[in-house]
Amino acid sequence: MNILILAFTLLYGLVFGSFFNVVGLRVPNGTLFKQERSYCDTCNRTLNWKELIPVFSFLRQKGKCATCHETISPLYPIMELATGILFAFTYFHYGWGHQTVLGLLVISLIIPVTVADLEYQRIPNKLLLFFAPLFITYRLIYPLSPWYFSIIGAVLAFGLLFLIILLSKGGMGMGDLKYFTLFGFIFGPYLFLLLFFLATIYGSIIGAITIKRSKGNRKTKIPFGPSIGLAALTVFYVGELILNWYSQFFI
């Protein structure tokens, strides 16, 4: 029975991943509800159901539109598969419970934000404003211990990122600040500091790889949102274990 539920969770994740792709690509440019059905971004043809099957349609069409033969971004199947795996892993890790609800909310925020930041180098306010009330409601029902850690985490995140933005003179954007602040509220001060540290590490690694691929061009813009999202997932799944390990060996 658990395997069956796990399979359904994976399938639902693939479907939601397809939707999150659309949200991440179309919210920043205001085209999310311009057309009721999905369409090719190049030739604007409405897609049929065979072209909307997550991952499989991309493989079946060899990564090209069936009409204009324009290359389809590999971001679509990658994010669909990532969402499916993360949904299934969250259920596998936590089973049925409020932590699973939190995990699905976190994933549902991270995927479209990552897509938007990779495509437009923007973290849309509309996405953060949509999810903020959901996380506030969740923390009202399932507060941190003590409950005010959510407030401290948000204030710490906002203050730290605001200071970094001032000192770096634009090295980090306001979208990153709001994104971090939301995670500070969700996880509290200690896990936020871990999240920030991990995001910095991930960002440095991704930045180094990107600069190397661009033949040493240090002016290449590198979106930070994916690193923040990856750090948030790490903290969600193993953050407490990392903090416990650190306290045993270093405190």
Side-chain angles (χ1 to χ4, degrees), residues 105 131-143 185:
L105 284 174
F131 279 96
L134 299 179
F135 287 115
I136 291 171
T137 301
Y138 177 87
R139 277 293 170 231
L140 288 174
I141 299 172
Y142 302 105
F185 178 84

PDB file of all heavy atoms in Angstrom, residues 105 131-143 185:
ATOM      1  N   LEU A 105       4.463  22.383   0.520  1.00  0.00           N
ATOM      2  CA  LEU A 105       4.371  23.840   0.345  1.00  0.00           C
ATOM      3  C   LEU A 105       5.733  24.429  -0.026  1.00  0.00           C
ATOM      4  O   LEU A 105       5.829  25.287  -0.919  1.00  0.00           O
ATOM      5  CB  LEU A 105       3.854  24.498   1.625  1.00  0.00           C
ATOM      6  CG  LEU A 105       2.362  24.379   1.920  1.00  0.00           C
ATOM      7  CD1 LEU A 105       2.041  24.963   3.298  1.00  0.00           C
ATOM      8  CD2 LEU A 105       1.540  25.103   0.856  1.00  0.00           C
ATOM      9  N   PHE A 131       2.381  32.738  -1.437  1.00  0.00           N
ATOM     10  CA  PHE A 131       2.739  31.690  -0.478  1.00  0.00           C
ATOM     11  C   PHE A 131       2.849  32.194   0.951  1.00  0.00           C
ATOM     12  O   PHE A 131       2.694  31.400   1.893  1.00  0.00           O
ATOM     13  CB  PHE A 131       4.045  31.011  -0.898  1.00  0.00           C
ATOM     14  CG  PHE A 131       3.868  29.964  -1.957  1.00  0.00           C
ATOM     15  CD1 PHE A 131       4.065  30.273  -3.293  1.00  0.00           C
ATOM     16  CD2 PHE A 131       3.492  28.677  -1.627  1.00  0.00           C
ATOM     17  CE1 PHE A 131       3.890  29.317  -4.274  1.00  0.00           C
ATOM     18  CE2 PHE A 131       3.319  27.701  -2.593  1.00  0.00           C
ATOM     19  CZ  PHE A 131       3.522  28.021  -3.935  1.00  0.00           C
ATOM     20  N   ALA A 132       3.148  33.472   1.143  1.00  0.00           N
ATOM     21  CA  ALA A 132       3.345  33.997   2.494  1.00  0.00           C
ATOM     22  C   ALA A 132       2.156  33.711   3.422  1.00  0.00           C
ATOM     23  O   ALA A 132       2.354  33.217   4.543  1.00  0.00           O
ATOM     24  CB  ALA A 132       3.646  35.497   2.449  1.00  0.00           C
ATOM     25  N   PRO A 133       0.899  33.986   3.015  1.00  0.00           N
ATOM     26  CA  PRO A 133      -0.233  33.677   3.905  1.00  0.00           C
ATOM     27  C   PRO A 133      -0.370  32.183   4.205  1.00  0.00           C
ATOM     28  O   PRO A 133      -0.810  31.816   5.303  1.00  0.00           O
ATOM     29  CB  PRO A 133      -1.456  34.183   3.112  1.00  0.00           C
ATOM     30  CG  PRO A 133      -0.918  35.156   2.137  1.00  0.00           C
ATOM     31  CD  PRO A 133       0.453  34.663   1.785  1.00  0.00           C
ATOM     32  N   LEU A 134       0.014  31.341   3.252  1.00  0.00           N
ATOM     33  CA  LEU A 134      -0.060  29.893   3.479  1.00  0.00           C
ATOM     34  C   LEU A 134       0.920  29.461   4.565  1.00  0.00           C
ATOM     35  O   LEU A 134       0.575  28.666   5.458  1.00  0.00           O
ATOM     36  CB  LEU A 134       0.233  29.141   2.174  1.00  0.00           C
ATOM     37  CG  LEU A 134      -0.712  29.409   1.003  1.00  0.00           C
ATOM     38  CD1 LEU A 134      -0.271  28.615  -0.225  1.00  0.00           C
ATOM     39  CD2 LEU A 134      -2.148  29.033   1.371  1.00  0.00           C
ATOM     40  N   PHE A 135       2.132  29.994   4.513  1.00  0.00           N
ATOM     41  CA  PHE A 135       3.129  29.645   5.533  1.00  0.00           C
ATOM     42  C   PHE A 135       2.795  30.269   6.888  1.00  0.00           C
ATOM     43  O   PHE A 135       3.051  29.662   7.934  1.00  0.00           O
ATOM     44  CB  PHE A 135       4.521  30.078   5.076  1.00  0.00           C
ATOM     45  CG  PHE A 135       5.095  29.221   3.988  1.00  0.00           C
ATOM     46  CD1 PHE A 135       5.346  29.730   2.727  1.00  0.00           C
ATOM     47  CD2 PHE A 135       5.372  27.883   4.222  1.00  0.00           C
ATOM     48  CE1 PHE A 135       5.873  28.940   1.725  1.00  0.00           C
ATOM     49  CE2 PHE A 135       5.900  27.069   3.229  1.00  0.00           C
ATOM     50  CZ  PHE A 135       6.141  27.604   1.964  1.00  0.00           C
ATOM     51  N   ILE A 136       2.237  31.476   6.870  1.00  0.00           N
ATOM     52  CA  ILE A 136       1.815  32.101   8.131  1.00  0.00           C
ATOM     53  C   ILE A 136       0.716  31.271   8.781  1.00  0.00           C
ATOM     54  O   ILE A 136       0.744  31.010   9.996  1.00  0.00           O
ATOM     55  CB  ILE A 136       1.326  33.544   7.882  1.00  0.00           C
ATOM     56  CG1 ILE A 136       2.517  34.429   7.486  1.00  0.00           C
ATOM     57  CG2 ILE A 136       0.648  34.106   9.126  1.00  0.00           C
ATOM     58  CD1 ILE A 136       2.130  35.812   7.019  1.00  0.00           C
ATOM     59  N   THR A 137      -0.250  30.832   7.980  1.00  0.00           N
ATOM     60  CA  THR A 137      -1.334  29.988   8.494  1.00  0.00           C
ATOM     61  C   THR A 137      -0.787  28.683   9.049  1.00  0.00           C
ATOM     62  O   THR A 137      -1.193  28.219  10.131  1.00  0.00           O
ATOM     63  CB  THR A 137      -2.361  29.695   7.385  1.00  0.00           C
ATOM     64  OG1 THR A 137      -2.888  30.929   6.890  1.00  0.00           O
ATOM     65  CG2 THR A 137      -3.508  28.830   7.913  1.00  0.00           C
ATOM     66  N   TYR A 138       0.153  28.092   8.306  1.00  0.00           N
ATOM     67  CA  TYR A 138       0.755  26.835   8.770  1.00  0.00           C
ATOM     68  C   TYR A 138       1.435  27.031  10.117  1.00  0.00           C
ATOM     69  O   TYR A 138       1.274  26.212  11.040  1.00  0.00           O
ATOM     70  CB  TYR A 138       1.766  26.325   7.744  1.00  0.00           C
ATOM     71  CG  TYR A 138       2.473  25.073   8.195  1.00  0.00           C
ATOM     72  CD1 TYR A 138       1.930  23.815   7.953  1.00  0.00           C
ATOM     73  CD2 TYR A 138       3.679  25.142   8.907  1.00  0.00           C
ATOM     74  CE1 TYR A 138       2.567  22.661   8.393  1.00  0.00           C
ATOM     75  CE2 TYR A 138       4.317  23.999   9.347  1.00  0.00           C
ATOM     76  CZ  TYR A 138       3.764  22.765   9.092  1.00  0.00           C
ATOM     77  OH  TYR A 138       4.382  21.622   9.547  1.00  0.00           O
ATOM     78  N   ARG A 139       2.192  28.125  10.270  1.00  0.00           N
ATOM     79  CA  ARG A 139       2.909  28.355  11.526  1.00  0.00           C
ATOM     80  C   ARG A 139       1.963  28.746  12.664  1.00  0.00           C
ATOM     81  O   ARG A 139       2.298  28.565  13.831  1.00  0.00           O
ATOM     82  CB  ARG A 139       3.985  29.421  11.334  1.00  0.00           C
ATOM     83  CG  ARG A 139       5.284  28.864  10.756  1.00  0.00           C
ATOM     84  CD  ARG A 139       5.954  27.926  11.748  1.00  0.00           C
ATOM     85  NE  ARG A 139       7.068  27.178  11.162  1.00  0.00           N
ATOM     86  CZ  ARG A 139       7.212  25.876  11.248  1.00  0.00           C
ATOM     87  NH1 ARG A 139       6.283  25.156  11.859  1.00  0.00           N
ATOM     88  NH2 ARG A 139       8.243  25.264  10.727  1.00  0.00           N
ATOM     89  N   LEU A 140       0.805  29.284  12.357  1.00  0.00           N
ATOM     90  CA  LEU A 140      -0.190  29.544  13.400  1.00  0.00           C
ATOM     91  C   LEU A 140      -0.763  28.232  13.932  1.00  0.00           C
ATOM     92  O   LEU A 140      -1.041  28.097  15.123  1.00  0.00           O
ATOM     93  CB  LEU A 140      -1.322  30.421  12.854  1.00  0.00           C
ATOM     94  CG  LEU A 140      -0.964  31.896  12.597  1.00  0.00           C
ATOM     95  CD1 LEU A 140      -2.127  32.609  11.926  1.00  0.00           C
ATOM     96  CD2 LEU A 140      -0.598  32.598  13.903  1.00  0.00           C
ATOM     97  N   ILE A 141      -0.914  27.258  13.033  1.00  0.00           N
ATOM     98  CA  ILE A 141      -1.459  25.945  13.432  1.00  0.00           C
ATOM     99  C   ILE A 141      -0.365  25.071  14.033  1.00  0.00           C
ATOM    100  O   ILE A 141      -0.580  24.386  15.038  1.00  0.00           O
ATOM    101  CB  ILE A 141      -2.091  25.245  12.215  1.00  0.00           C
ATOM    102  CG1 ILE A 141      -3.244  26.086  11.655  1.00  0.00           C
ATOM    103  CG2 ILE A 141      -2.610  23.859  12.603  1.00  0.00           C
ATOM    104  CD1 ILE A 141      -3.801  25.559  10.338  1.00  0.00           C
ATOM    105  N   TYR A 142       0.813  25.101  13.420  1.00  0.00           N
ATOM    106  CA  TYR A 142       1.950  24.291  13.886  1.00  0.00           C
ATOM    107  C   TYR A 142       3.142  25.223  14.158  1.00  0.00           C
ATOM    108  O   TYR A 142       4.063  25.320  13.349  1.00  0.00           O
ATOM    109  CB  TYR A 142       2.335  23.235  12.847  1.00  0.00           C
ATOM    110  CG  TYR A 142       1.221  22.294  12.494  1.00  0.00           C
ATOM    111  CD1 TYR A 142       0.547  22.402  11.277  1.00  0.00           C
ATOM    112  CD2 TYR A 142       0.827  21.293  13.385  1.00  0.00           C
ATOM    113  CE1 TYR A 142      -0.477  21.537  10.959  1.00  0.00           C
ATOM    114  CE2 TYR A 142      -0.207  20.416  13.071  1.00  0.00           C
ATOM    115  CZ  TYR A 142      -0.854  20.554  11.856  1.00  0.00           C
ATOM    116  OH  TYR A 142      -1.874  19.694  11.538  1.00  0.00           O
ATOM    117  N   PRO A 143       3.121  25.932  15.299  1.00  0.00           N
ATOM    118  CA  PRO A 143       4.183  26.913  15.579  1.00  0.00           C
ATOM    119  C   PRO A 143       5.506  26.242  15.923  1.00  0.00           C
ATOM    120  O   PRO A 143       5.565  25.082  16.337  1.00  0.00           O
ATOM    121  CB  PRO A 143       3.626  27.684  16.781  1.00  0.00           C
ATOM    122  CG  PRO A 143       2.717  26.702  17.468  1.00  0.00           C
ATOM    123  CD  PRO A 143       2.103  25.877  16.369  1.00  0.00           C
ATOM    124  N   PHE A 185      11.173  32.981   8.457  1.00  0.00           N
ATOM    125  CA  PHE A 185       9.918  32.808   9.186  1.00  0.00           C
ATOM    126  C   PHE A 185       9.553  31.333   9.310  1.00  0.00           C
ATOM    127  O   PHE A 185       9.100  30.876  10.366  1.00  0.00           O
ATOM    128  CB  PHE A 185       8.796  33.564   8.471  1.00  0.00           C
ATOM    129  CG  PHE A 185       7.454  33.397   9.127  1.00  0.00           C
ATOM    130  CD1 PHE A 185       7.084  34.186  10.204  1.00  0.00           C
ATOM    131  CD2 PHE A 185       6.555  32.435   8.669  1.00  0.00           C
ATOM    132  CE1 PHE A 185       5.851  34.019  10.813  1.00  0.00           C
ATOM    133  CE2 PHE A 185       5.323  32.264   9.271  1.00  0.00           C
ATOM    134  CZ  PHE A 185       4.971  33.064  10.352  1.00  0.00           C
TER     135      PHE A 185
END
